[in-house]
Amino acid sequence: MHLSPLPLSERVNLDSAKRADFVKKLHEQVRINIERRTDQIAQRVNKGRQRMVFEPGDWMWMHLHKERFPVQRPNKLLPRGDGPFQVLKRINDNAYKLDLPAAYNVSATFNDLSPFLADDEADLRTNPFQEEGNDTNQYVPFDKVRVPLGPVTRALAKRLREELQGLVREV
């Protein structure tokens, strides 16, 4: 028995022209359903993504793939990005030509870029391991009654423990 999208009763009564029209309409409905479903999936997948289009003169970080940059990134512990490099030409919304040094010895066209944010635009977190630096999880000074705000980091937990030990000694 051969399975077909046409019901058995209609298969007997339809001539070839009507059958061809029916199949064409069926194909059109299937195509519309596939496009609609594809749009729904794309909308769900791209929900949190932000469309970024760069112009010539913008500064970018490029991603160093191990396959494309074996000399610059021979192992996974080296930095993943390099730059900033200036965009020379916008090829399309996803591909850009960068001003690369000759030492890279690769094509200057990329599509895996991140924007370079200058210090005034960037998140101004400093390295907590530097002597003069501090982290964004800053300790909020408190007296004997107040509790610090924000997440409890190791440094804050140590400080709380010291404060508690000091209170116990006073009592």
Side-chain angles (χ1 to χ4, degrees):
M1 177 178 201
H2 186 284
L3 296 178
S4 170
L6 298 173
L8 290 175
S9 62
E10 290 181 15
R11 230 189 304 166
V12 175
N13 298 330
L14 293 177
D15 63 335
S16 60
K18 288 182 180 179
R19 187 179 293 179
D21 287 340
F22 179 77
V23 171
K24 285 180 184 179
K25 288 178 185 176
L26 181 67
H27 282 278
E28 182 64 24
Q29 288 175 342
V30 169
R31 187 185 61 75
I32 289 170
N33 286 341
I34 290 173
E35 287 177 359
R36 184 179 50 81
R37 186 68 180 141
T38 302
D39 290 341
Q40 288 175 348
I41 292 170
Q43 185 178 6
R44 188 176 68 231
V45 168
N46 296 328
K47 182 179 179 183
R49 294 187 181 170
Q50 186 178 24
R51 185 168 183 240
M52 300 180 97
V53 177
F54 307 112
E55 296 298 327
D58 291 347
W59 291 89
M60 301 288 115
W61 289 102
M62 87 176 161
H63 186 81
L64 297 175
H65 295 281
K66 289 193 307 184
E67 298 81 23
R68 192 168 181 184
F69 298 97
V71 174
Q72 287 81 7
R73 191 161 181 241
N75 65 45
K76 65 181 182 180
L77 299 177
L78 291 174
R80 294 180 181 203
D82 196 11
F85 298 108
Q86 195 168 20
V87 175
L88 295 178
K89 179 182 173 186
R90 180 176 141 208
I91 297 170
N92 60 31
D93 287 350
N94 191 35
Y96 303 92
K97 185 171 184 171
L98 299 181
D99 184 20
L100 284 182
Y104 282 99
N105 200 22
V106 293
S107 171
T109 304
F110 291 89
N111 64 357
D112 193 3
L113 301 173
S114 300
F116 171 72
L117 301 176
D119 288 340
D120 57 339
E121 301 172 359
D123 187 6
L124 296 177
R125 282 188 254 185
T126 58
N127 187 347
F129 300 109
Q130 293 175 348
E131 293 179 17
E132 68 278 359
N134 59 11
D135 201 4
T136 55
N137 300 330
Q138 295 187 6
Y139 168 75
V140 178
F142 63 98
D143 56 11
K144 297 175 184 174
V145 180
R146 291 181 53 198
V147 178
L149 300 174
V152 178
T153 60
R154 288 183 182 179
L156 183 57
K158 183 178 177 183
R159 177 77 184 248
L160 288 171
R161 199 175 317 115
E162 291 171 357
E163 292 283 336
L164 186 59
Q165 289 173 353
L167 288 174
V168 169
R169 283 189 210 123
E170 288 179 11
V171 173

